């Protein structure tokens, strides 16, 4: 189902990093499971190296995902023991650092780009606008309608410039929940059998 999801179909066609990052995140979780269950360690640095080649931003996001997943997975599978969790997390961290060192030749350009980025200071900064908006504000009716209708087609409103919801400046950034034929078949049955 992931291969035909809206994220992969729509965002993967715009810019290759979106679908590549999703694939690398799946590989990272898979390599973690191999390391966690069977003790095979060499896949994990390779997955971290692939993720780090995309840039430090994606490495940090995927490591945050992995940190939460690893702790919850460890507690689910084994009993909570702070010493054992710390030893396992340090081994995992060292393997991840080894993978980042492997890809440091590719990652250095991303680090330099982040250090030289002018988007964080000056008149172009949008930090005041972002801070003033509440983080958990309810969605507007237009956004809810767009989300529901985009389950059936990613371009149900035609192109963004002809969209009837021109008030929504985040047309391309709105949620993509389209998942193909499964959605088209199962959603109407939900109303029929309810």
């Amino acid at each position: 189902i992931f291969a035909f999801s809206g994220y992969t179909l729509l965002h993967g066609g715009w810019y290759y990093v979106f679908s590549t990052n999703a694939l690398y995140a799946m590989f990272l979780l898979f390599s973690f499971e191999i390391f966690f269950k069977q003790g095979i360690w060499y896949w994990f640095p390779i997955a971290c190296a692939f993720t780090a080649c995309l840039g430090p931003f994606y490495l940090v996001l995927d490591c945050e995902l992995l940190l939460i997943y690893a702790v919850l997975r460890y507690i689910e599978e084994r009993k909570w023991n702070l010493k054992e969790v710390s030893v396992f997390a340090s081994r995992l961290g060292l393997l991840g650092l080894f993978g980042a060192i492997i890809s440091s030749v590719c990652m250095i350009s991303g680090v330099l780009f982040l250090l030289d980025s002018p988007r964080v200071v000056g008149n172009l900064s949008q930090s005041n606008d972002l801070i003033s908006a509440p983080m958990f504000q309810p969605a507007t009716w237009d956004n809810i309608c767009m989300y529901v209708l985009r389950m059936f087609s990613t371009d149900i409103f035609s192109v963004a410039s002809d969209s009837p919801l021109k008030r929504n400046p985040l047309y391309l950034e709105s949620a993509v929940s389209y998942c193909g034929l499964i959605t088209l078949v199962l959603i109407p049955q939900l109303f029929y059998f309810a």
Side-chain angles (χ1 to χ4, degrees), residues 45-56 59 95-111:
I46 294 171
C48 289
F50 282 158
T51 304
C53 282
L54 289 177
L59 181 65
L95 289 174
L97 181 65
F98 179 59
I101 290 171
I102 290 172
S103 68
S104 62
V105 174
C106 298
M107 193 174 62
I108 194 71
S109 64
V111 171

Side-chain angles (χ1 to χ4, degrees), residues 28 31-32 35 40-49 66 92 95-96:
L28 191 67
S31 64
F32 166 76
F35 175 64
I40 301 173
W41 63 271
Y42 52 85
W43 289 113
F44 191 75
I46 294 171
C48 289
L66 184 67
L92 200 63
L95 289 174

Side-chain angles (χ1 to χ4, degrees), residues 93-166:
L94 287 174
L95 289 174
L97 181 65
F98 179 59
I101 290 171
I102 290 172
S103 68
S104 62
V105 174
C106 298
M107 193 174 62
I108 194 71
S109 64
V111 171
L112 292 175
F113 178 75
L114 288 177
L115 290 176
D116 293 335
S117 178
R119 295 185 289 166
V120 294
V121 295
N123 295 335
L124 298 176
S125 176
Q126 295 184 2
S127 61
N128 291 333
D129 295 337
L130 294 174
I131 291 172
S132 65
M135 182 183 296
F136 297 109
Q137 70 183 12
T140 63
W141 181 250
D142 290 345
N143 288 338
I144 293 171
C145 289
M146 185 176 289
Y147 178 76
V148 169
L149 290 175
R150 286 187 84 178
M151 285 200 313
F152 299 101
S153 173
T154 55
D155 60 350
I156 200 162
F157 296 115
S158 68
V159 294
S161 60
D162 295 333
S163 173
L165 299 176
K166 290 182 182 177

Side-chain angles (χ1 to χ4, degrees), residues 20-32:
T20 307
N21 181 36
L23 180 70
Y24 289 166
M26 286 191 308
F27 183 43
L28 191 67
L29 293 174
F30 172 75
S31 64
F32 166 76

Side-chain angles (χ1 to χ4, degrees), residues 78-92:
R78 302 173 185 159
K79 298 297 181 201
W80 172 257
N81 184 351
L82 185 61
K83 183 180 177 185
E84 290 179 9
V85 171
S86 301
V87 168
F88 181 75
S90 63
R91 289 177 60 202
L92 200 63

